Amino acid sequence: MQIKNRLTLLFTLLVAAVLSAFALMIYFSSAKIRKDEYFKRLKQQATMKANLLFDSKIEPDVLQLIYKKTPTFLFQEEVAIYDTAFHLLYHDAVDIDKVKETRPMIDSIVALKELQFYQGKMQVEGFLYTHNEKHYAITAAAIDEYGYTKLRSLRNTLIVTFFIAIAITFFVGRFLARQSLRPVSAIVDKVKKITATNLDLRLDEGNRKDEMAALAITFNETLNRLESSFDAQKHFVSNISHELRTPLTAMLAELQLTAMKERSVTEYQQTNKHLITDVQKLIRLSNSLLDFAKANYDQTEIAFKELRLDEVLLDARNEVLHNQPQHKISITFDKEIENDDFISVQGNEYLLKTAFINLMENGCKFSGDGQSSVSISYTPELLLLRFADNGIGIPEEDIGNIFTPFYRGKNKAFVGGSGIGLALVRRIIELHHGSINVSSEVGKGTVFTIELRHVV
Ligand code: ADP
């Protein structure tokens, strides 16, 4: 069931419940008032007749005649007067005799002084009347036609009003529910139109204050993130194709040129050398991409264990030096290590080594002297690593972008690369809940500082 229908139904049921409670209360309290008032009226009428008989000495025949001549005498209160010994002294109309008085009834009236009961729809009031210190039991009975008519009309009015009120509540409730949920329908319609090809569409944020606006704002923020991640992916793929195509095109051109005619052995060797360099470049690029993909996995997919970072750094240095024996990398401790925990972190060995290799290689390759240094320090909470070099430095305007995938700084002419390295390093450090910062001065050198939490 749709929410607007459910809301309308609930609202209508609630109003129906409240209205019926009110209607029933009004009806039953009116019925009780009618009953009480009619017993009172019966007693008054009977007392009046007894007074006329005993005090004003009006003849019973006269009273009976008045009773019978009343046009609505059938609904008139019929009065009967008995003495306490159950002798009938007066009766409005013995032939009609609405109440069949019995000895026990009269005795009850004498004992209780007042007796009220129903005989069918007819109300009967019996009471003890005293005149000149003599007691009489009087009964008065009639059907409260007027009262019942009023009650019936009240009941009908209540029923009709109830159904009209419910109908109004239903339609007004449905209108209001539709009105309040209209923004949701608008959101649904708009969201249906958003696909991968038009991720730039945004929802109307309305007054930016109510719950609907909050929903639209949250959705728009999600779309912003999705769009930029989509763009980044597109950018990434086109960068990858470009990076792959460049060395492949160079290799193809070189091979075609060599194949045009017969070449000398030296020329073939030269071509081979170029091809090896290009293939190595391709291998490095695909390795970096693979590492980047690994570092972007869901964190739960990556195995973490306790590691001594000085050991990981030594491994990284060995690997860099194995590939580039001309580089020089020094690793120093700023402080004496009193406890293994101070240089240990919870991490993934392969990923951290990859990050350190990238930083070490960058330090060496962007320095004329091919040297870089790593220093290890710690605080009670953090482990601090400084990767420093005295190289060409990074221009101010590049600093903000060097961690973006495929971004290469203005100094890229100095040495080759793919622009993946630092993006990978930052991702790896983020995965380890650490931080990385850079400070650099053109012509003087660069320092990357990494902060990682100790094993707790
Ligand atoms: P690559 O080294 O393949 O170009 P990176 O992602 O490792 O890609 O680095 C991005 C850019 O940051 C580099 O192109 C370079 O401009 C700059 N950079 C990184 N490390 C250094 C460094 N130690 N000295 C100077 N520039 C650096």
Side-chain angles (χ1 to χ4, degrees):
M1 192 192 274
Q2 285 189 318
I3 291 184
K4 57 181 172 230
N5 292 340
R6 206 182 312 152
L7 278 179
T8 312
L9 205 68
L10 280 177
F11 183 53
T12 312
L13 283 178
L14 181 73
V15 174
V18 174
L19 275 185
S20 8
F22 265 108
L24 288 175
M25 209 173 71
I26 290 172
Y27 180 78
F28 285 114
S29 73
S30 303
K32 185 171 179 325
I33 292 170
R34 183 211 61 75
K35 182 186 86 177
D36 293 346
E37 282 186 345
Y38 200 64
F39 276 127
K40 223 186 270 173
R41 180 186 150 91
L42 285 174
K43 193 171 178 182
Q44 279 167 1
Q45 290 295 320
T47 310
M48 196 177 75
K49 268 191 190 156
N51 288 345
L52 288 173
L53 277 170
F54 295 121
D55 291 334
S56 312
K57 304 279 187 252
I58 302 232
E59 283 303 314
D61 299 354
V62 179
L63 283 178
Q64 282 162 344
L65 198 68
I66 295 173
Y67 178 77
K68 287 220 166 135
K69 291 292 172 199
T70 310
T72 56
F73 85 96
L74 274 176
F75 304 124
Q76 278 289 306
E77 302 79 6
E78 189 190 79
V79 177
I81 303 176
Y82 289 83
D83 65 9
T84 49
F86 192 46
H87 293 122
L88 181 63
L89 305 178
Y90 170 79
H91 202 296
D92 270 338
V94 186
D95 48 332
I96 298 170
D97 197 17
K98 290 178 182 168
V99 187
K100 305 277 178 282
E101 287 86 357
T102 56
R103 178 89 206 213
M105 191 193 291
I106 297 303
D107 289 345
S108 299
I109 293 172
V110 174
L112 300 171
K113 296 202 168 55
E114 184 159 12
L115 193 66
Q116 294 177 335
F117 60 94
Y118 275 88
Q119 202 172 283
K121 268 180 87 180
M122 186 161 61
Q123 280 175 254
V124 183
E125 165 80 25
F127 62 98
L128 197 66
Y129 176 83
T130 310
H131 181 74
N132 288 343
E133 288 168 14
K134 278 183 83 177
H135 301 302
Y136 303 92
I138 303 183
T139 61
I143 296 176
D144 183 11
E145 267 313 308
Y146 178 62
Y148 278 121
T149 310
K150 270 200 337 193
L151 205 60
R152 259 198 307 276
S153 127
L154 175 72
R155 187 196 59 198
N156 294 343
T157 312
L158 285 175
I159 291 175
V160 171
T161 322
F162 174 81
F163 283 110
I164 292 176
I166 291 303
I168 292 174
T169 310
F170 178 78
F171 289 112
V172 171
R174 201 167 60 166
F175 171 75
L176 289 179
R178 217 178 263 169
Q179 205 65 3
S180 2
L181 292 175
R182 181 161 295 165
V184 176
S185 311
I187 289 176
V188 171
D189 289 345
K190 193 77 181 268
V191 170
K192 274 187 195 157
K193 288 187 194 138
I194 300 175
T195 61
T197 49
N198 58 5
L199 266 181
D200 55 323
L201 281 184
R202 291 292 176 271
L203 303 180
D204 180 9
E205 293 178 359
N207 58 8
R208 294 189 60 86
K209 282 187 190 127
D210 59 22
E211 291 84 346
M212 291 303 163
L215 178 68
I217 292 170
T218 314
F219 197 80
N220 281 347
E221 283 167 1
T222 310
L223 280 177
N224 288 343
R225 284 196 295 274
L226 267 181
E227 192 184 9
S228 55
S229 119
F230 243 74
D231 285 349
Q233 292 281 347
K234 277 196 259 174
H235 202 63
F236 196 73
V237 172
S238 77
N239 275 324
I240 291 175
S241 346
H242 180 75
E243 290 294 327
L244 289 174
R245 209 177 43 205
T246 314
L248 284 173
T249 317
M251 285 162 73
L252 182 67
E254 184 125 27
L255 284 169
Q256 280 171 337
L257 197 72
T258 317
M260 275 167 79
K261 58 177 187 176
E262 197 161 324
R263 307 280 174 182
S264 67
V265 174
T266 332
E267 279 173 322
Y268 280 126
Q269 280 174 340
Q270 193 65 26
T271 308
N272 246 355
K273 222 169 122 190
H274 290 162
L275 288 179
I276 288 172
T277 316
D278 284 337
V279 169
Q280 277 174 337
K281 219 184 219 178
L282 279 174
I283 291 174
R284 263 203 310 277
L285 175 66
S286 56
N287 281 343
S288 305
L289 286 172
L290 204 67
D291 290 340
F292 193 68
K294 272 188 199 154
N296 278 297
Y297 281 170
D298 179 1
Q299 198 178 339
T300 51
E301 297 279 312
I302 299 170
F304 281 75
K305 64 173 189 182
E306 191 174 334
L307 301 170
R308 271 187 65 128
L309 276 199
D310 53 342
E311 287 171 3
V312 183
L313 282 165
L314 278 171
D315 275 358
R317 186 180 78 149
N318 289 343
E319 205 159 317
V320 176
L321 296 183
H322 175 76
N323 295 329
Q324 315 278 338
Q326 74 282 13
H327 287 342
K328 289 193 184 61
I329 303 164
S330 65
I331 300 178
T332 52
F333 290 95
D334 280 0
K335 277 188 195 176
E336 203 179 313
I337 307 297
E338 298 153 15
N339 184 335
D340 274 3
D341 286 350
F342 291 152
I343 49 163
S344 301
V345 297
Q346 199 71 30
N348 180 285
E349 188 174 357
Y350 172 78
L351 290 177
L352 282 176
K353 194 165 84 178
T354 307
F356 299 158
I357 290 174
N358 270 289
L359 291 169
M360 287 172 179
E361 272 182 355
N362 275 356
C364 295
K365 77 181 186 185
F366 286 103
S367 315
D369 58 1
Q371 286 192 29
S372 78
S373 63
V374 185
S375 61
I376 309 171
S377 180
Y378 61 85
T379 67
E381 290 88 30
L382 299 170
L383 202 121
L384 311 167
L385 302 176
R386 272 178 97 252
F387 292 80
D389 64 69
N390 299 315
I392 56 170
I394 307 171
E396 180 91 45
E397 63 268 33
D398 283 336
I399 293 269
N401 295 317
I402 55 171
F403 292 105
T404 309
F406 294 109
Y407 187 86
R408 301 204 67 218
K410 303 243 168 341
N411 57 13
K412 66 181 176 194
F414 189 77
V415 65
S418 63
I420 283 282
L422 285 184
L424 175 61
V425 172
R426 185 167 71 172
R427 181 67 193 132
I428 292 173
I429 300 303
E430 276 171 359
L431 275 175
H432 288 79
H433 306 293
S435 65
I436 178 164
N437 288 298
V438 57
S439 69
S440 185
E441 208 174 314
V442 175
K444 289 213 164 155
T446 307
V447 179
F448 286 92
T449 315
I450 292 181
E451 292 182 358
L452 291 167
R453 298 209 154 268
H454 295 305
V455 175
V456 275

